[in-house]
Amino acid sequence: MIAEKSDDILAQKGLKKPLIIAGPCSAESEQQIMATAAEIPWDEVSIFRAGIWKPRTKPNSFEGVGVIGLKWLQKVQQEFGVQVATEVATAEHVKQALAHGIDVLWIGARTTVNPFQVQEIAEVLQGTDKLIMVKNPVNPDLNLWIGAFERLQQQGINNLMAIHRGFSTYKKEKYRNIPQWQIPLDFRNSMPYIPLICDPSHIAGRRDLVFEISQKAMNFGYDGLMIETHCQPDVAWSDAAQQVTPNSLKQLLHRLRHPHQNDDAPDYLRDIENLRRQIDAKDREILQMIVERMKIASEIGQVKNNHNITIYQPKRWKFIQEHLREIGESQGLSAEFIHRFLSALHQESIQVQNREMTQQSDDADQA
């Protein structure tokens, strides 16, 4: 039975909100696992995580200790009385994890992109009451993410959770993986009954940025966080730069603010309604200005067609990017937003010009 609210799944599994999952990127040794678990602040953390099998970009990298690591997770279960989680990428991984009584399994970003792999995993998990988490695919494809959940649901798997870990991009800037917050928020609108948590470690790629991403997730109303935590992160065998110590994790969690979903206070309702009216008015103005801009773009298409000039002009596009980025950043807009906004505007302008030139050609042929 599919839950009606995201909180229902957490409650059914005995998990509190916000859900905090912590533990090392990779299980390296029994000593490392137990030392990390011993320092985790269990009054705030509900699930211990560790990668047993590690899908890596290139061969000859550390790809996990394998099945023996599952026994170490069992020991954490027994000694600390907590739930444990690990990543599964194949049907055989699932079988081994279930045989060792692992409480929570997650499907990683590299696996989510492959419907055949997700289907095989779903069939092995058929009817399970385990909590199954699915990370967003590495590429920004909302339907692919939703499709993974639908495959699991078709196998009678309803204890599901989504993990936002950011999206890969060729151009690396501040973060290891760009958040693209709108995609997980759109996911929440599409599947509101599935809890959504954030993996700030993979988005940030650097431990000094983990708090920043964590707080943003809380501000957006996420149900929890999964933070990579290692007893000695500087010597970790994988993703050393993004892991925090248990003590740093404790400090981070104490600093986090947890905004409320709603507030019925009269002054809040009055102020927010007034500001929203102003936002709505500005949005209408912006759309009207874009409409007027596209009319000019159409005229540019006519001029280019009359002179047999190509639509795309690299120098002009470079000038727009550099000039307007400078203006936008000086006013406090993020470089990421400026790039996405200008790219969308430019793409629409190109389409408008193309339609104009095509129409003129068709008219000429008919004449």
Side-chain angles (χ1 to χ4, degrees), residues 340-352:
R340 287 190 286 112
F341 173 73
L342 291 178
S343 295
L345 204 61
H346 186 245
Q347 185 62 36
E348 183 65 17
S349 294
I350 285 176
Q351 292 176 358
V352 166

Side-chain angles (χ1 to χ4, degrees), residues 145-146 149-150 153 186-195:
W145 198 8
I146 292 174
F149 283 95
E150 291 175 343
Q153 288 172 334
D186 287 343
F187 174 89
R188 166 153 277 179
N189 289 334
S190 299
M191 308 188 96
Y193 50 87
I194 292 180

Side-chain angles (χ1 to χ4, degrees), residues 75-95:
K75 192 169 181 180
V76 173
Q77 279 177 319
Q78 297 162 3
E79 294 202 12
F80 297 95
V82 297
Q83 298 186 41
V84 295
T86 199
E87 178 178 354
V88 290
T90 68
E92 182 59 29
H93 291 171
V94 173
K95 293 175 184 177

Side-chain angles (χ1 to χ4, degrees), residues 171-189:
K171 185 178 180 181
K172 301 298 181 183
E173 295 184 352
K174 181 177 181 179
Y175 302 122
R176 176 183 178 185
N177 294 293
I178 54 176
Q180 295 208 23
W181 295 101
Q182 190 58 49
I183 294 177
L185 296 179
D186 287 343
F187 174 89
R188 166 153 277 179
N189 289 334

Side-chain angles (χ1 to χ4, degrees), residues 72-261:
W72 305 338
L73 289 180
Q74 285 180 319
K75 192 169 181 180
V76 173
Q77 279 177 319
Q78 297 162 3
E79 294 202 12
F80 297 95
V82 297
Q83 298 186 41
V84 295
T86 199
E87 178 178 354
V88 290
T90 68
E92 182 59 29
H93 291 171
V94 173
K95 293 175 184 177
Q96 292 285 359
L98 294 178
H100 285 80
I102 304 303
D103 304 289
V104 181
L105 309 179
W106 79 81
I107 297 173
R110 288 180 172 88
T111 305
T112 307
V113 299
N114 189 328
F116 292 116
Q117 279 185 275
V118 174
Q119 185 65 38
E120 289 179 1
I121 290 172
E123 290 173 2
V124 176
L125 286 169
Q126 185 176 28
T128 185
D129 64 350
K130 299 277 187 182
L131 178 59
I132 308 300
M133 306 188 293
V134 183
K135 287 193 172 185
N136 63 254
V138 290
N139 53 309
D141 189 332
L142 177 60
N143 286 329
L144 194 58
W145 198 8
I146 292 174
F149 283 95
E150 291 175 343
R151 290 178 184 278
L152 291 162
Q153 288 172 334
Q154 287 177 358
Q155 299 299 320
I157 304 163
N158 295 316
N159 289 324
L160 297 168
M161 183 177 294
I163 305 174
H164 171 214
R165 51 81 76 194
F167 303 88
S168 295
T169 178
Y170 177 73
K171 185 178 180 181
K172 301 298 181 183
E173 295 184 352
K174 181 177 181 179
Y175 302 122
R176 176 183 178 185
N177 294 293
I178 54 176
Q180 295 208 23
W181 295 101
Q182 190 58 49
I183 294 177
L185 296 179
D186 287 343
F187 174 89
R188 166 153 277 179
N189 289 334
S190 299
M191 308 188 96
Y193 50 87
I194 292 180
L196 172 64
I197 68 171
C198 183
D199 176 350
S201 304
H202 274 88
I203 292 175
R206 289 166 32 194
R207 63 178 65 95
D208 61 306
L209 297 175
V210 170
F211 174 79
E212 174 185 314
I213 296 295
S214 299
Q215 187 60 68
K216 285 185 179 180
M218 292 296 97
N219 292 346
F220 284 126
Y222 279 49
D223 296 293
L225 303 166
M226 182 160 76
I227 300 177
E228 291 189 345
T229 309
H230 191 296
C231 58
Q232 293 182 294
D234 288 334
V235 296
W237 294 1
S238 60
D239 291 347
Q242 68 191 36
Q243 299 190 66
V244 301
T245 64
N247 186 55
S248 295
L249 173 67
K250 185 176 182 178
Q251 294 176 15
L252 182 154
L253 295 176
H254 285 176
R255 289 174 61 197
L256 274 183
R257 291 182 297 103
H258 303 285
H260 303 295
Q261 186 69 34

